[in-house]
Amino acid sequence: MASPTPLGSPIPPAAMPAIKERCNRRLAALKAARQPYEPEWAEISRFAQPARSRFLVSENNRNFRRTNGAIYNSHPILSFRTLAGGMTSGLSSPSRPWFRLTPFDADLADDGTVKTWLSEVERRIYAFLGGTNFYGAVKAGYAEMGLFGTDACVMVEHDQAGAVCHALTAGEYWIALSDAMVPDTLYRRCSMSVHQLAQSFGLETASDFVRTCYTNGRYDEQVPVIHAIEPNDDRAMGVKTARGKPWRSVYWDDNDGRADRVLRVSGYEEQPFWAPRWDTTGGDTYGTAPGFDALPDMRELQLQTRRKTNATKFLVEPEKIVPASVKLTGNAGNIVTASGVDAAGVIVPYTINPSAIGAIAEDVQRCAQAIDRLTYADLFMAITNMDGVQPRNVEEIASRNEEKLTQLGPVIERVNNEKLEVAIDRAFGIMARRGLLPPAPPQLQGQPVKVDFVSILAQMQRMVGLGQIERTVAFVGNLAARFPEAADRLDVDAIVDDYADRAGAPPQIIRSVGDAEALRSGRAQEAQLAKLAAMAGPAKDGAAAMQMLGAMGGAPDGGGPA
């Protein structure tokens, strides 16, 4: 793990106890705030994704993996896998554009040099993210959001890879909110081996235990390292060291009892993590998600599946009461010999009605369908599950799922604002410091640039409004056929811009208003010249006729001087 920002100068030893004490005190408060969510997280993980979450008997055991002994039906795993895949391909797919950069100033947006620079920056950011583990991390994050309501990931600079994303799972991090009600603090448990700790921080700041292990060759002993990322409220403006960074980063060994020793204090120039929530109520720190909503159905699905299995087993192998002298094997096709008296003594005390298995199977199917609806799996599988002729265009899918997409809209906005925009800002900052971006044109120096999301789900969300535009234009067009003044109410340029933006059309295929006005002016001039030319023809012919008449010395009716 590379250092996020060099220290420049060491932190004064006198400040270490205050930093470590402050972080430990805040960590205790963050643990208390997360505790109410942990029981449901553990149960969601138990039924839907045993490999996720970290609620361990020993928190230092990184290699712990839950078994799936509580799972009798894998449908919840499939539903949440569909949700994660749909969110990934719909919001930040590596195979299609999902964002574009535009200036806030509308006049700059029409500048050719600015367009070229922004297009090149987009291309380089896509290439940079594609060369890291970003896309794998965001997919894991969508699964975390769907299951546990909150996703967390830290992007750190790396000398070889450029950046490395550390995707976190429920149970190994804690977050806190700013006054804007968005996550601005993240504490995480990142246990390391003695070898990893020595590589990352050296042995000068390591505990006595770590030094002893390293000296004795016990490189794989686990060390509980805590990493705190929070706004630097003691920032010293203009200072080049960690004290001058807007974000503070502190690593320390949780087992090290010395109050004056931390592994590293450093800083970041931009927010290095994102922690989006699926949905929140009021001032909730952690979010709720489909995993919470589907938990009752997941419980019942496992229960009913187990009942169906037991009922089928009782139907195939019913329980029997037999004389002591009769030994049944329980295997089909075996022949057991017994006297007539003993054979008559075999009793089946009760039997399973085969229709009961069908009733239980219907209940299992009902639970599975409810889970699909709650996890939006039916929305993301809309094409596959459509009856009749299956459409293959975005417009028809959006129209058939408009209500569901409206429900998913707030989640899309939250992901864009709390996750993807933070990731792009972080990647932009890393690339700028490494000289991986072209120089900005002079007219864009000091001007803010905004991120517009053009992913398939963002387009579908915006395309819900295309029908209103089309119906309004059609209505005004029909009305203008009888009342021409109605057409004056439509701003054609605004309609084209809004429609293209909602449809996600590439900006380069739409001319600017200024260019369109120039074309219109040119056409108007050509039409005026053509009109003058058309009028000049009859005028020229008339002049020639008058000249001929004058030469003849008379009027057309033969009259003239006597």
Side-chain angles (χ1 to χ4, degrees):
M1 182 184 299
S3 173
T5 302
L7 289 178
S9 62
I11 299 295
M16 290 299 184
I19 292 176
K20 189 171 183 179
E21 180 184 359
R22 179 187 185 281
C23 289
N24 276 318
R25 188 166 56 245
R26 191 169 192 196
L27 178 60
L30 294 178
K31 288 182 177 180
R34 196 190 73 180
Q35 193 276 331
Y37 295 88
E38 295 176 359
E40 282 186 286
W41 285 354
E43 197 168 8
I44 291 169
S45 174
R46 179 170 172 247
F47 289 127
Q49 192 53 263
R52 290 186 181 273
S53 82
R54 296 290 183 267
F55 297 103
L56 315 179
V57 176
S58 173
E59 291 185 327
N60 298 335
N61 184 4
R62 301 191 301 173
N63 301 319
F64 177 87
R65 184 185 185 278
R66 289 181 176 274
T67 61
N68 57 356
I71 296 181
Y72 299 92
N73 190 314
S74 61
H75 190 84
I77 297 176
L78 180 62
S79 295
F80 282 102
R81 183 186 301 166
T82 302
L83 172 62
M87 295 286 284
T88 302
S89 61
L91 289 176
S92 52
S93 171
S95 60
R96 68 170 69 94
W98 50 272
F99 76 90
R100 65 181 178 220
L101 303 177
T102 58
F104 278 93
D105 190 336
D107 294 334
L108 288 177
D110 295 333
D111 187 284
T113 305
V114 172
K115 282 185 176 180
T116 302
W117 184 82
L118 292 175
S119 178
E120 177 62 18
V121 171
E122 289 173 19
R123 186 190 68 80
R124 296 192 184 191
I125 292 178
Y126 279 124
F128 178 80
L129 295 177
T132 69
N133 66 332
F134 170 78
Y135 288 105
V138 295
K139 181 180 179 181
Y142 290 131
E144 288 287 316
M145 281 189 71
L147 286 165
F148 309 111
T150 307
D151 162 30
C153 181
V154 181
M155 180 187 283
V156 298
E157 296 185 44
H158 193 275
D159 293 336
Q160 288 77 39
V164 174
C165 296
H166 296 266
L168 309 179
T169 187
E172 64 180 0
Y173 65 89
W174 301 265
I175 61 174
L177 306 182
S178 68
D179 56 357
M181 304 306 293
V182 295
D184 72 339
T185 298
L186 183 141
Y187 281 49
R188 64 180 178 126
R189 183 178 296 275
C190 50
S191 297
M192 299 181 178
S193 67
V194 169
H195 177 66
Q196 290 172 324
L197 189 146
Q199 280 187 319
S200 300
F201 308 108
L203 294 177
E204 292 182 1
T205 57
S207 66
D208 297 337
F209 171 78
V210 171
R211 295 181 185 180
T212 301
C213 290
Y214 192 86
T215 302
N216 296 333
R218 295 158 54 191
Y219 301 126
D220 296 312
E221 290 281 348
Q222 295 298 305
V223 183
V225 177
I226 304 294
H227 182 202
I229 304 172
E230 57 192 355
N232 188 2
D233 49 9
D234 297 326
R235 182 183 182 187
M237 301 300 295
V239 178
K240 299 297 184 181
T241 63
R243 294 181 60 241
K245 306 300 179 183
W247 296 85
R248 178 170 50 225
S249 170
V250 184
Y251 286 90
W252 74 94
D253 183 345
D254 203 25
N255 283 344
D256 188 356
R258 282 185 52 176
D260 61 341
R261 185 161 56 193
V262 297
L263 295 172
R264 177 192 293 149
V265 178
S266 56
Y268 301 97
E269 291 289 351
E270 58 277 326
Q271 182 173 329
F273 72 92
W274 51 86
R277 288 82 47 81
W278 185 280
D279 189 25
T280 58
T281 302
D284 289 349
T285 301
Y286 297 91
T288 56
F292 290 78
D293 302 332
L295 186 55
D297 290 291
M298 289 193 289
R299 293 192 192 107
E300 186 175 359
L301 178 68
Q302 305 304 328
L303 175 63
Q304 297 291 32
T305 301
R306 187 175 182 182
R307 284 177 175 172
K308 184 173 72 68
T309 302
N310 291 337
T312 303
K313 184 176 181 180
F314 268 104
L315 181 64
V316 176
E317 301 176 0
E319 191 173 13
K320 305 177 184 69
I321 301 175
V322 299
S325 59
V326 178
K327 304 297 182 184
L328 299 180
T329 64
N331 296 321
N334 283 359
I335 299 175
V336 178
T337 58
S339 64
V341 175
D342 289 340
V346 177
I347 301 172
V348 178
Y350 56 88
T351 58
I352 297 295
N353 188 340
S355 63
I357 298 178
I360 299 174
E362 290 179 1
D363 204 39
V364 169
Q365 183 64 22
R366 178 191 62 78
C367 292
Q369 292 174 349
I371 293 171
D372 281 344
R373 291 193 299 271
L374 291 168
T375 60
Y376 299 93
D378 58 341
L379 170 63
F380 291 113
M381 297 294 288
I383 297 178
T384 302
N385 296 335
M386 280 181 181
D387 298 328
V389 179
Q390 298 180 0
R392 300 296 177 183
N393 60 78
V394 174
E395 291 80 2
E396 188 167 352
I397 296 172
S399 63
R400 291 197 183 191
N401 295 280
E402 184 171 337
E403 292 183 1
K404 297 176 183 177
L405 196 60
T406 301
Q407 296 175 8
L408 199 59
V411 180
I412 297 174
E413 295 294 338
R414 193 181 292 272
V415 169
N416 289 343
N417 296 332
E418 295 187 4
K419 178 173 183 172
L420 299 180
E421 190 169 349
V422 176
I424 293 172
D425 287 344
R426 176 64 170 156
F428 187 93
I430 293 174
M431 295 176 68
R433 285 190 293 275
R434 292 174 172 263
L436 301 178
L437 297 177
Q443 58 268 44
L444 201 58
Q445 294 286 347
Q447 296 294 325
V449 175
K450 65 179 179 177
V451 181
D452 287 338
F453 294 98
V454 295
S455 63
I456 186 66
L457 280 181
Q459 289 180 37
M460 289 173 67
Q461 183 187 7
R462 290 198 296 264
M463 285 174 65
V464 172
L466 292 183
Q468 289 88 326
I469 297 176
E470 293 171 353
R471 287 192 291 271
T472 301
V473 172
F475 170 76
V476 175
N478 293 334
L479 191 63
R482 295 192 60 186
F483 305 100
E485 62 271 17
D488 298 336
R489 294 294 306 279
L490 288 180
D491 186 339
V492 177
D493 292 328
I495 292 173
V496 172
D497 288 341
D498 192 24
Y499 198 98
D501 180 66
R502 289 180 179 275
Q508 58 267 27
I509 72 172
I510 303 296
R511 288 191 177 95
S512 66
V513 175
D515 292 342
E517 289 292 347
L519 288 175
R520 292 165 187 163
S521 177
R523 284 198 302 268
Q525 291 179 4
E526 291 175 0
Q528 183 68 18
L529 291 175
K531 184 178 179 180
L532 292 174
M535 293 174 62
K540 180 179 180 181
D541 294 341
M546 292 298 293
Q547 184 178 5
M548 183 180 297
L549 182 63
M552 293 174 61
D557 58 359

